[in-house]
Amino acid sequence: MLRKQPYSCLRPRSLRVGVTLTEVLISIGILAVGLLGAAAMFPVGGYFMQKGEVADRGAAIAQAAFADLVARGALDPQNWRVWHGGAYATMDQFMQTGMADNRDQFGILDQIGMNSDTGFIYIIDPLGTAGALRGGAGALQLSRAPAVIPVNWAASTGNRWDQFNGAWPIRRLCTDSMMLGSSLPSESLAQSLYSSSDDLAIQTDDDESLPRRQRMVGADTNGDQTVDVAYRRESRGDYSWMAMVAPTQSEARLALALDPSAYYFDVSVVVFYKRPISSIGTSEVLVEGAIVSTGTGGGEILLDASDLPGTGSETAYDEFRQGQWVMVCGPHPSSTPAQPLFFSQWYRVLTIDDEPDGLNVGNATFDNDKTQRRVGLRGPDWPWKKSGSRVCVGLFPGAVAVHTKTMRLESSGAYEL
């Protein structure tokens, strides 16, 4: 006969009746950390999605805008208008006057004087011109791009800049179609022709159960504050553009006065996203630069905004971001007073370093985190190989895409009847 074993209080229980409050709190903390980490990914993902959409749409708009400029004749110098002497002049009059004023008694053209009078690179920017006018810009802002340049840029950049006689050689132009008989460009017309209608505006109703609707531009014929006769779909107007024409040789620049069709030019269409039109006179600035290194398709440049007038040195980099495009320019190494050549191309910003490291680049030292930036750029090959070569860099807030093509300009010629 088996005897029943007595119950021992030392034997551990095999069944578990629940969890403690401490375990619950730890589990909630772990779950909260995971949920917060997942939630933090949504705004970051949204930012990069928008950034990718802007880049993709900007590239497509750049190519479409290029074709539009050609079709409208905006790349024909006979349709250009230059702010000169307090009024707009046609391009052929402007160039021929410059040639006449800069010929000596032997009939030899003074190239340095021509650089000062007529410039070398030309930017077709009716929307920027009209916006600068509305923002209160003066004659200098109307005739040059960027609008704000360093106070002592000509004295501090080196002897090759002397060939341009202390005058900024990149000129901002308008087109004949923007005038409509007026002496000043029409901003509304420039907005309709130099901005994209692809970014459609969507209207949401107070009743969330209703679907979103496309906003329309049209007429309200019955006075109920709604469009009942639609003309076209409304766009937000966030994308706009301008074009830069850079002669590849001195003869090509001089040929703009007569017929440039025998010469090649680098034509770049620059697309902007939410460009600050009314503040162009203060936001688009030129900073000095020194070549740090040169590689295939770009390199590194040390930027210095210390010579900008007013508070420009403190605000020059406020809208400076990775991914935007900048204009790098300067005299070509082979430029001479007899055959001047000015180089200007657009580059995408890959890296921005604002932490001084004492790097010596020619006559410049990277030692000021307020006025200096060391940037890595990607784009066409530039001609400067020597470290420390002095250049200038134009900062245009909102530049998101550039389409460049080397081509001949279609021109009717100055003598067409």
Side-chain angles (χ1 to χ4, degrees), residues 352-357 366 368-370 372-375:
I352 302 176
D353 183 6
D354 60 356
E355 297 182 3
D357 55 9
F366 189 14
N368 192 325
D369 62 344
K370 297 185 181 299
Q372 292 180 318
R373 297 290 186 274
R374 179 174 174 173
V375 299

Side-chain angles (χ1 to χ4, degrees), residues 151-359:
V151 177
N152 299 315
W153 75 272
S156 60
T157 46
N159 58 351
R160 289 194 182 275
W161 290 91
D162 296 339
Q163 302 166 17
F164 297 89
N165 204 27
W168 181 237
I170 299 183
R171 300 300 173 88
R172 195 191 303 265
L173 311 176
C174 196
T175 57
D176 186 38
S177 60
M178 295 294 104
M179 301 302 180
L180 295 179
S182 172
S183 59
L184 298 177
S186 167
E187 183 175 355
S188 60
L189 183 57
Q191 186 75 35
S192 65
L193 297 181
Y194 285 81
S195 62
S196 174
S197 58
D198 290 343
D199 52 334
L200 302 179
I202 304 298
Q203 179 177 346
T204 57
D205 291 281
D206 294 335
D207 186 354
E208 297 182 356
S209 64
L210 296 176
R212 297 190 301 172
R213 295 178 298 168
Q214 169 65 56
R215 295 173 58 178
M216 306 298 294
V217 176
D220 176 15
T221 59
N222 54 16
D224 62 352
Q225 306 300 318
T226 60
V227 174
D228 49 10
V229 179
Y231 299 148
R232 60 179 176 85
R233 294 181 296 176
E234 183 179 349
S235 65
R236 296 192 299 270
D238 289 337
Y239 295 88
S240 60
W241 60 80
M242 68 181 188
M244 184 184 77
V245 178
T248 57
Q249 56 191 119
S250 295
E251 292 80 0
R253 187 271 304 261
L254 298 177
L256 290 172
L258 301 174
D259 187 358
S261 59
Y263 298 90
Y264 283 93
F265 299 78
D266 290 331
V267 181
S268 301
V269 174
V270 185
V271 176
F272 294 88
Y273 178 69
K274 293 186 177 181
R275 186 184 186 189
I277 296 296
S278 60
S279 63
I280 284 177
T282 56
S283 62
E284 295 184 354
V285 301
L286 184 77
V287 299
E288 296 184 66
I291 298 296
V292 177
S293 62
T294 298
T296 302
E300 287 185 303
I301 297 180
L302 178 61
L303 308 183
D304 190 347
S306 59
D307 284 339
L308 287 177
T311 59
S313 60
E314 302 174 3
T315 61
Y317 306 113
D318 286 352
E319 301 298 326
F320 191 45
R321 303 287 188 272
Q322 289 182 345
Q324 76 177 64
W325 292 72
V326 297
M327 180 182 67
V328 179
C329 51
H332 196 281
S334 63
S335 179
T336 65
Q339 293 292 330
L341 183 59
F342 197 80
F343 178 90
S344 181
Q345 288 288 358
W346 290 82
Y347 295 82
R348 190 169 185 265
V349 179
L350 298 181
T351 61
I352 302 176
D353 183 6
D354 60 356
E355 297 182 3
D357 55 9
L359 173 71

Side-chain angles (χ1 to χ4, degrees), residues 49-61 239 323 348 400-401:
M49 285 182 62
Q50 182 191 27
K51 191 174 181 180
E53 180 185 0
V54 169
D56 290 343
R57 180 170 291 181
I61 291 175
Y239 295 88
R348 190 169 185 265
V400 296

Side-chain angles (χ1 to χ4, degrees), residues 34-51:
L35 291 177
L36 290 175
M41 296 176 61
F42 287 97
V44 175
Y47 167 77
F48 282 105
M49 285 182 62
Q50 182 191 27
K51 191 174 181 180

